[in-house]
Protein backbone atom coordinates (compact mmCIF):
# COMPACT_ATOMS: atom_id res chain seq x y z
CA UNK A 1 0.00 0.00 0.00
CA UNK A 2 1.29 3.47 -0.86
CA UNK A 3 0.11 7.06 -0.52
CA UNK A 4 1.60 10.46 -1.23
CA UNK A 5 4.46 11.52 1.01
CA UNK A 6 5.00 15.06 -0.31
CA UNK A 7 3.01 17.82 -1.99
CA UNK A 8 3.83 18.37 -5.69
CA UNK A 9 4.97 21.71 -7.15
CA UNK A 10 3.41 22.79 -10.47
CA UNK A 11 4.66 25.67 -12.62
CA UNK A 12 1.60 27.61 -13.83
CA UNK A 13 3.60 29.29 -16.59
CA UNK A 14 3.74 25.90 -18.37
CA UNK A 15 -0.02 26.02 -18.80
CA UNK A 16 0.18 29.31 -20.68
CA UNK A 17 2.07 27.82 -23.66
CA UNK A 18 0.69 25.28 -26.09
CA UNK A 19 3.87 23.22 -26.27
CA UNK A 20 4.21 22.76 -22.50
CA UNK A 21 0.50 22.70 -21.55
CA UNK A 22 0.00 18.91 -22.07
CA UNK A 23 2.80 18.14 -19.61
CA UNK A 24 1.27 20.54 -17.09
CA UNK A 25 -2.15 18.91 -17.43
CA UNK A 26 -0.62 15.49 -16.83
CA UNK A 27 1.04 16.71 -13.63
CA UNK A 28 -2.18 18.40 -12.57
CA UNK A 29 -4.19 15.22 -13.14
CA UNK A 30 -1.82 13.35 -10.85
CA UNK A 31 -2.13 16.03 -8.15
CA UNK A 32 -5.94 16.08 -8.39
CA UNK A 33 -6.41 12.32 -8.25
CA UNK A 34 -3.59 11.35 -5.89
CA UNK A 35 -3.10 14.29 -3.51
CA UNK A 36 -5.77 17.00 -3.56
CA UNK A 37 -3.09 19.56 -2.69
CA UNK A 38 -0.31 21.23 -4.67
CA UNK A 39 2.05 24.18 -4.77
CA UNK A 40 1.57 26.59 -7.67
CA UNK A 41 4.62 28.61 -8.80
CA UNK A 42 4.96 31.41 -11.37
CA UNK A 43 1.39 32.52 -10.79
CA UNK A 44 1.84 35.96 -12.33
CA UNK A 45 1.44 37.82 -9.05
CA UNK A 46 4.10 40.50 -8.70
CA UNK A 47 6.57 40.41 -5.82
CA UNK A 48 5.59 43.99 -5.00
CA UNK A 49 1.92 43.08 -4.62
CA UNK A 50 2.79 40.08 -2.43
CA UNK A 51 4.96 42.29 -0.19
CA UNK A 52 2.13 44.83 0.13
CA UNK A 53 -0.41 42.13 0.95
CA UNK A 54 1.79 40.62 3.66
CA UNK A 55 2.73 44.00 5.14
CA UNK A 56 -0.85 45.30 5.32
CA UNK A 57 -2.11 41.99 6.67
CA UNK A 58 0.34 42.03 9.56
CA UNK A 59 -0.38 45.71 10.19
CA UNK A 60 -4.06 44.95 10.73
CA UNK A 61 -3.31 42.78 13.74
CA UNK A 62 -1.21 45.56 15.24
CA UNK A 63 -4.28 47.80 15.51
CA UNK A 64 -5.67 48.43 19.01
CA UNK A 65 -8.08 45.66 19.96
CA UNK A 66 -10.98 48.11 20.26
CA UNK A 67 -10.46 49.18 16.64
CA UNK A 68 -10.47 45.58 15.44
CA UNK A 69 -13.60 44.86 17.47
CA UNK A 70 -15.42 47.67 15.65
CA UNK A 71 -15.69 45.27 12.72
CA UNK A 72 -16.29 42.12 14.77
CA UNK A 73 -17.77 39.24 12.77
CA UNK A 74 -20.78 38.75 15.04
CA UNK A 75 -22.00 42.29 14.22
CA UNK A 76 -23.33 41.04 10.84
CA UNK A 77 -24.92 37.80 9.56
CA UNK A 78 -22.41 37.53 6.69
CA UNK A 79 -19.56 35.86 8.61
CA UNK A 80 -17.29 38.66 7.38
CA UNK A 81 -15.14 40.80 9.64
CA UNK A 82 -12.78 40.29 12.56
CA UNK A 83 -12.91 37.35 14.95
CA UNK A 84 -10.64 35.95 17.61
CA UNK A 85 -10.49 32.66 19.44
CA UNK A 86 -10.49 32.31 23.22
CA UNK A 87 -6.80 33.08 23.50
CA UNK A 88 -5.32 33.19 26.97
CA UNK A 89 -2.85 35.69 25.63
CA UNK A 90 -0.37 37.36 27.92
CA UNK A 91 -1.24 40.74 26.44
CA UNK A 92 -3.38 42.64 28.93
CA UNK A 93 -5.63 44.14 26.27
CA UNK A 94 -6.69 40.65 25.20
CA UNK A 95 -7.14 39.26 28.71
CA UNK A 96 -9.45 42.15 29.58
CA UNK A 97 -11.99 41.25 26.90
CA UNK A 98 -14.96 39.37 28.38
CA UNK A 99 -15.92 38.19 24.89
CA UNK A 100 -12.84 35.98 24.67
CA UNK A 101 -14.44 32.92 26.18
CA UNK A 102 -14.93 29.32 25.15
CA UNK A 103 -18.35 30.27 23.78
CA UNK A 104 -16.84 32.15 20.87
CA UNK A 105 -13.87 29.89 20.25
CA UNK A 106 -13.52 28.34 16.83
CA UNK A 107 -14.14 24.61 16.95
CA UNK A 108 -12.74 22.07 14.53
CA UNK A 109 -12.98 18.35 15.14
CA UNK A 110 -14.47 19.09 18.60
CA UNK A 111 -11.30 20.88 19.77
CA UNK A 112 -10.36 24.51 20.32
CA UNK A 113 -8.68 26.49 17.53
CA UNK A 114 -6.21 29.23 18.53
CA UNK A 115 -6.10 32.13 16.13
CA UNK A 116 -7.41 35.57 15.19
CA UNK A 117 -8.45 36.55 11.70
CA UNK A 118 -10.32 38.90 9.43
CA UNK A 119 -12.58 37.63 6.65
CA UNK A 120 -12.93 39.72 3.48
CA UNK A 121 -15.02 39.41 0.31
CA UNK A 122 -15.02 40.64 -3.25
CA UNK A 123 -17.66 43.39 -3.75
CA UNK A 124 -21.23 42.26 -3.08
CA UNK A 125 -24.67 43.75 -2.35
CA UNK A 126 -26.62 43.06 0.84
CA UNK A 127 -29.33 40.38 0.84
CA UNK A 128 -32.88 41.41 -0.07
CA UNK A 129 -35.81 40.13 2.02
CA UNK A 130 -37.00 37.95 -0.88
CA UNK A 131 -33.61 36.22 -1.23
CA UNK A 132 -32.83 32.83 0.35
CA UNK A 133 -31.40 32.99 3.85
CA UNK A 134 -27.99 31.83 2.65
CA UNK A 135 -27.70 35.03 0.61
CA UNK A 136 -26.66 36.62 3.91
CA UNK A 137 -23.25 35.22 3.00
CA UNK A 138 -23.16 37.63 0.06
CA UNK A 139 -22.64 40.99 1.71
CA UNK A 140 -20.32 43.98 1.73
CA UNK A 141 -17.03 43.52 3.57
CA UNK A 142 -16.52 45.06 7.00
CA UNK A 143 -13.29 46.95 6.27
CA UNK A 144 -10.93 48.35 8.92
CA UNK A 145 -10.75 52.11 9.23
CA UNK A 146 -9.20 53.83 6.22
CA UNK A 147 -7.84 56.48 8.55
CA UNK A 148 -5.74 53.87 10.35
CA UNK A 149 -4.85 51.68 7.36
CA UNK A 150 -5.34 53.77 4.20
CA UNK A 151 -3.70 51.24 1.85
CA UNK A 152 -5.30 48.10 3.29
CA UNK A 153 -8.55 48.09 1.28
CA UNK A 154 -7.14 49.03 -2.16
CA UNK A 155 -4.31 46.50 -1.85
CA UNK A 156 -6.60 43.66 -0.84
CA UNK A 157 -9.22 44.52 -3.44
CA UNK A 158 -6.50 44.37 -6.11
CA UNK A 159 -5.11 41.12 -4.74
CA UNK A 160 -8.57 39.51 -4.72
CA UNK A 161 -9.19 40.75 -8.27
CA UNK A 162 -5.99 39.11 -9.52
CA UNK A 163 -6.65 35.96 -7.50
CA UNK A 164 -10.12 35.76 -9.06
CA UNK A 165 -8.49 35.63 -12.49
CA UNK A 166 -5.94 33.01 -11.37
CA UNK A 167 -8.63 30.81 -9.82
CA UNK A 168 -10.76 31.01 -12.97
CA UNK A 169 -7.81 29.94 -15.12
CA UNK A 170 -6.91 27.15 -12.72
CA UNK A 171 -10.48 25.79 -12.68
CA UNK A 172 -10.43 25.70 -16.48
CA UNK A 173 -7.20 23.72 -16.31
CA UNK A 174 -8.74 21.32 -13.79
CA UNK A 175 -11.56 20.63 -16.23
CA UNK A 176 -9.12 19.91 -19.04
CA UNK A 177 -6.96 17.73 -16.80
CA UNK A 178 -9.89 15.37 -16.13
CA UNK A 179 -11.01 15.24 -19.74
CA UNK A 180 -13.71 17.91 -19.77
CA UNK A 181 -14.09 21.10 -21.87
CA UNK A 182 -12.34 24.10 -20.33
CA UNK A 183 -15.67 25.90 -19.72
CA UNK A 184 -17.33 22.98 -17.92
CA UNK A 185 -17.47 24.74 -14.55
CA UNK A 186 -18.78 28.05 -15.90
CA UNK A 187 -22.40 27.21 -15.10
CA UNK A 188 -21.57 27.00 -11.40
CA UNK A 189 -20.45 30.64 -11.20
CA UNK A 190 -22.54 33.80 -10.83
CA UNK A 191 -21.95 36.77 -13.11
CA UNK A 192 -20.75 38.71 -10.06
CA UNK A 193 -19.25 35.67 -8.37
CA UNK A 194 -18.21 36.22 -4.79
CA UNK A 195 -14.78 35.09 -3.64
CA UNK A 196 -13.47 35.35 -0.09
CA UNK A 197 -10.16 35.80 1.67
CA UNK A 198 -8.91 35.45 5.22
CA UNK A 199 -5.90 36.99 6.92
CA UNK A 200 -5.00 34.73 9.82
CA UNK A 201 -2.63 35.13 12.73
CA UNK A 202 -1.65 31.99 14.64
CA UNK A 203 0.07 33.14 17.87
CA UNK A 204 2.90 31.00 19.19
CA UNK A 205 2.45 28.97 22.36
CA UNK A 206 4.18 31.58 24.49
CA UNK A 207 1.77 34.32 23.40
CA UNK A 208 -1.16 31.97 23.93
CA UNK A 209 0.02 31.04 27.39
CA UNK A 210 -0.49 27.39 26.50
CA UNK A 211 1.59 24.71 28.15
CA UNK A 212 2.87 21.79 26.13
CA UNK A 213 4.60 21.28 22.83
CA UNK A 214 1.62 21.53 20.49
CA UNK A 215 -1.69 23.33 20.07
CA UNK A 216 -4.28 23.45 17.31
CA UNK A 217 -4.19 26.56 15.13
CA UNK A 218 -7.02 25.07 13.14
CA UNK A 219 -8.05 21.45 13.44
CA UNK A 220 -8.52 18.81 10.74
CA UNK A 221 -10.91 20.09 8.08
CA UNK A 222 -11.58 20.31 4.36
CA UNK A 223 -12.25 23.53 2.47
CA UNK A 224 -15.84 23.93 1.35
CA UNK A 225 -16.03 25.25 -2.18
CA UNK A 226 -14.00 24.60 -5.33
CA UNK A 227 -10.39 25.65 -4.79
CA UNK A 228 -8.42 27.71 -2.28
CA UNK A 229 -5.03 29.42 -2.64
CA UNK A 230 -2.88 29.94 0.43
CA UNK A 231 -0.17 32.55 0.67
CA UNK A 232 2.06 31.46 3.57
CA UNK A 233 3.17 34.87 4.77
CA UNK A 234 5.88 33.77 7.21
CA UNK A 235 8.50 31.03 7.24
CA UNK A 236 6.81 28.94 9.92
CA UNK A 237 5.98 25.33 9.38
CA UNK A 238 2.61 24.19 10.68
CA UNK A 239 0.40 23.38 7.68
CA UNK A 240 -0.06 19.63 7.28
CA UNK A 241 -2.14 17.53 4.88
CA UNK A 242 -3.45 14.03 5.51
CA UNK A 243 -2.78 11.32 2.95
CA UNK A 244 -5.05 8.37 2.23
CA UNK A 245 -3.19 6.28 4.80
CA UNK A 246 -4.10 8.80 7.52
CA UNK A 247 -0.55 10.16 7.86
CA UNK A 248 0.17 13.88 8.29
CA UNK A 249 2.48 15.34 5.62
CA UNK A 250 4.21 18.70 6.11
CA UNK A 251 3.47 21.48 3.63
CA UNK A 252 6.21 24.03 4.46
CA UNK A 253 6.39 27.55 2.99
CA UNK A 254 8.12 27.80 -0.41
CA UNK A 255 8.96 31.28 -1.68
CA UNK A 256 7.06 32.37 -4.77
CA UNK A 257 4.29 29.79 -4.46
CA UNK A 258 0.67 29.48 -3.47
CA UNK A 259 -0.62 26.29 -1.85
CA UNK A 260 -3.74 25.09 -3.67
CA UNK A 261 -6.31 22.92 -1.89
CA UNK A 262 -9.15 21.15 -3.65
CA UNK A 263 -12.48 21.84 -1.96
CA UNK A 264 -15.41 19.58 -1.18
CA UNK A 265 -17.55 21.33 -3.76
CA UNK A 266 -15.16 20.32 -6.53
CA UNK A 267 -15.01 16.74 -5.26
CA UNK A 268 -18.81 16.56 -5.23
CA UNK A 269 -19.19 18.01 -8.72
CA UNK A 270 -16.59 15.64 -10.20
CA UNK A 271 -18.09 12.48 -8.62
CA UNK A 272 -15.16 12.10 -6.27
CA UNK A 273 -12.49 12.27 -8.97
CA UNK A 274 -10.88 15.45 -7.62
CA UNK A 275 -9.83 14.65 -4.06
CA UNK A 276 -10.63 17.10 -1.26
CA UNK A 277 -7.91 16.49 1.28
CA UNK A 278 -8.04 16.93 5.04
CA UNK A 279 -5.54 19.42 6.43
CA UNK A 280 -4.72 21.20 9.68
CA UNK A 281 -2.48 23.92 11.14
CA UNK A 282 -0.37 23.54 14.28
CA UNK A 283 0.35 26.59 16.40
CA UNK A 284 3.97 27.86 16.31
CA UNK A 285 6.27 26.65 19.08
CA UNK A 286 7.17 28.88 22.02
CA UNK A 287 9.49 31.68 20.96
CA UNK A 288 8.87 31.13 17.23
CA UNK A 289 6.65 34.19 16.87
CA UNK A 290 3.25 34.35 15.19
CA UNK A 291 2.53 32.54 11.94
CA UNK A 292 0.58 34.52 9.34
CA UNK A 293 -1.30 33.04 6.41
CA UNK A 294 -3.58 34.52 3.76
CA UNK A 295 -5.90 32.03 2.04
CA UNK A 296 -8.08 33.04 -0.91
CA UNK A 297 -11.22 30.96 -1.42
CA UNK A 298 -12.67 30.64 -4.89
CA UNK A 299 -16.42 30.96 -4.63
CA UNK A 300 -19.17 29.11 -6.42
CA UNK A 301 -22.80 30.09 -6.86
CA UNK A 302 -24.71 29.50 -3.66
CA UNK A 303 -27.67 28.58 -5.85
CA UNK A 304 -25.77 25.69 -7.46
CA UNK A 305 -27.38 22.30 -6.95
CA UNK A 306 -25.66 19.03 -6.21
CA UNK A 307 -25.51 17.83 -9.77
CA UNK A 308 -22.50 15.81 -10.80
CA UNK A 309 -20.59 16.47 -13.99
CA UNK A 310 -20.15 13.79 -16.61
CA UNK A 311 -16.54 12.91 -15.91
CA UNK A 312 -15.10 10.43 -18.45
CA UNK A 313 -15.18 6.83 -17.27
CA UNK A 314 -11.45 6.35 -17.83
CA UNK A 315 -10.68 9.19 -15.40
CA UNK A 316 -13.10 7.81 -12.80
CA UNK A 317 -11.40 4.45 -13.20
CA UNK A 318 -8.02 6.06 -12.52
CA UNK A 319 -9.31 7.51 -9.24
CA UNK A 320 -10.83 4.18 -8.23
CA UNK A 321 -7.55 2.41 -8.98
CA UNK A 322 -5.69 4.88 -6.75
CA UNK A 323 -8.06 4.27 -3.83
CA UNK A 324 -7.90 0.51 -4.33
CA UNK A 325 -4.11 0.63 -4.39
CA UNK A 326 -3.99 2.67 -1.20
CA UNK A 327 -6.48 0.48 0.62
CA UNK A 328 -9.30 3.01 0.48
CA UNK A 329 -9.57 6.42 2.07
CA UNK A 330 -8.92 6.97 5.74
CA UNK A 331 -9.18 10.62 6.64
CA UNK A 332 -11.20 11.71 9.64
CA UNK A 333 -13.40 14.58 8.46
CA UNK A 334 -17.02 14.32 7.41
CA UNK A 335 -17.93 15.05 3.81
CA UNK A 336 -20.18 18.11 3.84
CA UNK A 337 -21.69 18.03 0.38
CA UNK A 338 -23.54 14.73 0.56
CA UNK A 339 -26.14 14.35 -2.15
CA UNK A 340 -29.64 14.54 -0.73
CA UNK A 341 -28.61 16.33 2.47
CA UNK A 342 -28.86 19.84 1.02
CA UNK A 343 -30.66 21.36 -1.96
CA UNK A 344 -28.08 24.03 -2.71
CA UNK A 345 -24.42 24.66 -2.00
CA UNK A 346 -25.44 27.79 -0.13
CA UNK A 347 -27.39 25.82 2.49
CA UNK A 348 -24.44 23.55 3.20
CA UNK A 349 -22.07 26.51 3.35
CA UNK A 350 -24.26 28.47 5.76
CA UNK A 351 -24.52 25.50 8.13
CA UNK A 352 -20.76 25.02 7.99
CA UNK A 353 -20.19 28.65 8.92
CA UNK A 354 -22.61 28.49 11.83
CA UNK A 355 -20.85 25.37 13.09
CA UNK A 356 -17.45 27.09 12.89
CA UNK A 357 -18.64 30.38 14.43
CA UNK A 358 -21.35 29.58 16.99
CA UNK A 359 -21.21 33.12 18.40
CA UNK A 360 -22.49 34.43 15.06
CA UNK A 361 -25.01 31.58 14.98
CA UNK A 362 -26.34 32.48 18.43
CA UNK A 363 -27.00 36.05 17.38
CA UNK A 364 -28.30 35.60 13.82
CA UNK A 365 -29.25 31.93 13.33
CA UNK A 366 -30.35 30.53 16.73
CA UNK A 367 -32.75 27.96 15.27
CA UNK A 368 -30.14 26.57 12.88
CA UNK A 369 -27.52 26.52 15.63
CA UNK A 370 -29.93 24.55 17.83
CA UNK A 371 -30.30 21.93 15.08
CA UNK A 372 -26.52 21.70 14.72
CA UNK A 373 -26.03 21.21 18.45
CA UNK A 374 -28.72 18.55 18.57
CA UNK A 375 -27.02 16.71 15.73
CA UNK A 376 -23.64 17.04 17.43
CA UNK A 377 -25.12 15.61 20.64
CA UNK A 378 -26.51 12.62 18.75
CA UNK A 379 -23.15 12.07 17.08
CA UNK A 380 -21.36 12.27 20.43
CA UNK A 381 -23.73 9.68 21.92
CA UNK A 382 -23.17 7.40 18.92
CA UNK A 383 -19.39 7.73 19.28
CA UNK A 384 -19.54 6.98 23.00
CA UNK A 385 -21.69 3.92 22.39
CA UNK A 386 -19.32 2.68 19.71
CA UNK A 387 -16.30 3.28 21.94
CA UNK A 388 -17.95 1.19 24.67
CA UNK A 389 -18.61 -1.65 22.21
CA UNK A 390 -15.01 -1.48 21.00
CA UNK A 391 -13.62 -1.58 24.55
CA UNK A 392 -15.83 -4.52 25.47
CA UNK A 393 -14.77 -6.32 22.31
CA UNK A 394 -11.09 -5.70 23.05
CA UNK A 395 -11.50 -6.91 26.64
CA UNK A 396 -13.24 -10.07 25.46
CA UNK A 397 -10.47 -10.78 22.97
CA UNK A 398 -7.79 -10.43 25.68
CA UNK A 399 -9.63 -12.81 28.01
CA UNK A 400 -10.05 -15.40 25.26
CA UNK A 401 -6.31 -15.16 24.60
CA UNK A 402 -5.54 -15.64 28.28
CA UNK A 403 -4.18 -12.17 28.92
CA UNK A 404 -7.21 -10.64 30.58
CA UNK A 405 -8.17 -10.67 34.26
CA UNK A 406 -8.82 -14.14 35.65
CA UNK A 407 -11.65 -15.05 38.01
CA UNK A 408 -10.36 -15.53 41.53
CA UNK A 409 -6.98 -13.98 40.82
CA UNK A 410 -5.47 -11.94 43.62
CA UNK A 411 -5.10 -8.31 42.41
CA UNK A 412 -1.63 -6.83 42.48
CA UNK A 413 -1.11 -3.60 44.42
Amino acid sequence: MSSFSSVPILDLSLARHLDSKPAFLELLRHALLEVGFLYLSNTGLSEALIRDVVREGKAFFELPIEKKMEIEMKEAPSFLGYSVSAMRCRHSHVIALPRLTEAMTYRTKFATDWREQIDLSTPQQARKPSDPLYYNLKAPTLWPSGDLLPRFRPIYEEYMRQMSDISTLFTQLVAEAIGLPANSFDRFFDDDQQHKLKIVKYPDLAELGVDGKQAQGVGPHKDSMLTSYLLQATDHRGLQVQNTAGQWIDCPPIDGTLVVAIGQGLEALTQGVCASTTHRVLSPAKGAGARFSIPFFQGVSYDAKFESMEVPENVKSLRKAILDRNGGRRDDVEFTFMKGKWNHLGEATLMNRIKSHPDVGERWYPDLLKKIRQQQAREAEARAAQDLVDRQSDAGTKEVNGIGPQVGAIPAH
Side-chain angles (χ1 to χ4, degrees):
M1 181 173 64
S2 64
S3 186
F4 71 87
S5 58
S6 62
V7 177
I9 304 173
L10 275 66
D11 183 346
L12 186 59
S13 67
L14 297 178
R16 303 180 189 274
H17 304 283
L18 291 178
D19 58 340
S20 55
K21 185 176 181 179
F24 177 89
L25 293 178
E26 183 67 28
L27 293 171
L28 178 56
R29 184 181 303 110
H30 167 81
L32 294 170
L33 274 61
E34 293 263 9
V35 185
F37 251 74
L38 58 102
Y39 291 96
L40 206 57
S41 65
N42 292 316
T43 59
L45 297 169
S46 72
E47 292 183 5
L49 178 59
I50 295 297
R51 284 196 302 269
D52 288 346
V53 165
V54 172
R55 184 192 66 248
E56 293 297 313
K58 291 180 178 179
F60 170 76
F61 294 107
E62 295 299 320
L63 292 177
I65 187 65
E66 61 271 16
K67 293 299 181 181
K68 290 184 285 189
M69 296 301 286
E70 287 177 358
I71 53 170
E72 186 182 7
M73 181 181 285
K74 63 187 280 186
E75 296 301 322
S78 61
F79 296 91
L80 298 173
Y82 172 73
S83 52
V84 59
S85 70
M87 295 191 299
R88 299 192 300 271
C89 289
R90 300 191 187 281
H91 299 305
S92 60
H93 64 268
V94 175
I95 293 173
L97 279 174
R99 288 191 179 105
L100 304 186
T101 65
E102 184 71 15
M104 73 169 291
T105 304
Y106 306 130
R107 307 284 293 181
T108 317
K109 201 60 183 173
F110 308 104
T112 300
D113 294 343
W114 304 89
R115 68 188 190 273
E116 60 176 318
Q117 67 186 43
I118 180 171
D119 287 56
L120 312 176
S121 168
T122 52
Q124 293 290 311
Q125 300 297 317
R127 171 180 174 264
K128 300 190 294 290
S130 58
D131 291 332
L133 184 63
Y134 55 79
Y135 269 38
N136 276 337
L137 300 171
K138 300 173 63 174
T141 291
L142 303 176
W143 293 99
S145 169
D147 292 335
L148 297 175
L149 294 176
R151 299 191 64 199
F152 184 93
R153 179 170 180 173
I155 285 172
Y156 273 93
E157 286 187 329
E158 175 60 19
Y159 182 71
M160 287 191 286
R161 186 191 67 76
Q162 293 193 30
M163 285 305 308
S164 298
D165 294 340
I166 290 172
S167 66
T168 298
L169 169 62
F170 186 78
T171 307
Q172 293 170 349
L173 294 168
V174 168
E176 293 183 83
I178 60 173
L180 299 173
N183 64 353
S184 294
F185 292 105
D186 288 0
R187 68 180 186 270
F188 299 108
F189 298 117
D190 295 325
D191 291 339
D192 61 342
Q193 181 58 55
Q194 181 189 43
H195 305 290
K196 294 183 178 180
L197 178 145
K198 297 178 188 287
I199 313 169
V200 190
K201 177 186 177 182
Y202 299 98
D204 71 11
L205 297 184
E207 184 178 359
L208 289 172
V210 174
D211 295 325
K213 295 181 179 180
Q214 184 171 300
Q216 175 174 290
V218 57
H221 70 286
K222 298 174 183 176
D223 292 344
S224 295
M225 290 302 186
L226 293 192
T227 55
S228 60
Y229 305 79
L230 172 64
L231 172 62
Q232 300 196 76
T234 51
D235 293 333
H236 299 79
R237 288 175 176 264
L239 176 62
Q240 296 180 324
V241 300
Q242 192 175 46
N243 65 19
T244 53
Q247 301 166 324
W248 290 105
I249 308 301
D250 284 332
C251 192
I254 299 177
D255 287 343
T257 68
L258 300 171
V259 179
V260 182
I262 303 305
Q264 294 187 68
L266 188 55
E267 179 167 346
L269 295 177
T270 60
Q271 301 183 51
V273 166
C274 295
S276 177
T277 300
T278 300
H279 51 288
R280 68 182 183 182
V281 176
L282 304 179
S283 295
K286 287 186 177 181
R291 176 181 182 269
F292 293 88
S293 68
I294 305 170
F296 172 90
F297 300 93
Q298 181 186 32
V300 65
S301 175
Y302 292 128
D303 295 323
K305 296 182 179 293
F306 289 83
E307 55 179 304
S308 296
M309 307 176 77
E310 294 301 321
V311 180
E313 288 297 326
N314 67 307
V315 179
K316 287 192 286 186
S317 296
L318 287 173
R319 175 64 176 159
K320 182 179 183 302
I322 291 167
L323 291 177
D324 290 345
R325 186 185 73 228
N326 294 331
R329 181 170 181 167
R330 288 181 299 285
D331 53 17
D332 55 5
V333 172
E334 64 175 326
F335 191 73
T336 301
F337 295 143
M338 290 182 176
K339 197 168 185 178
K341 187 175 182 180
W342 313 105
N343 293 321
H344 299 90
L345 288 172
E347 295 171 357
T349 303
L350 177 60
M351 294 298 277
N352 259 358
R353 299 299 284 163
I354 295 171
K355 187 185 298 185
S356 297
H357 298 274
D359 59 315
V360 181
E362 286 175 347
R363 177 163 183 177
W364 299 99
Y365 307 99
D367 292 340
L368 294 180
L369 180 61
K370 181 179 179 180
K371 290 181 180 179
I372 289 172
R373 286 177 168 164
Q374 289 172 341
Q375 178 63 31
Q376 289 175 334
R378 289 192 293 268
E379 291 172 353
E381 290 176 0
R383 285 194 304 275
Q386 185 61 50
D387 288 345
L388 178 59
V389 170
D390 292 342
R391 287 196 299 271
Q392 291 174 339
S393 177
D394 290 343
T397 300
K398 290 178 180 178
E399 290 187 22
V400 169
N401 292 333
I403 59 175
Q406 300 177 11
V407 176
I410 299 174
H413 295 285

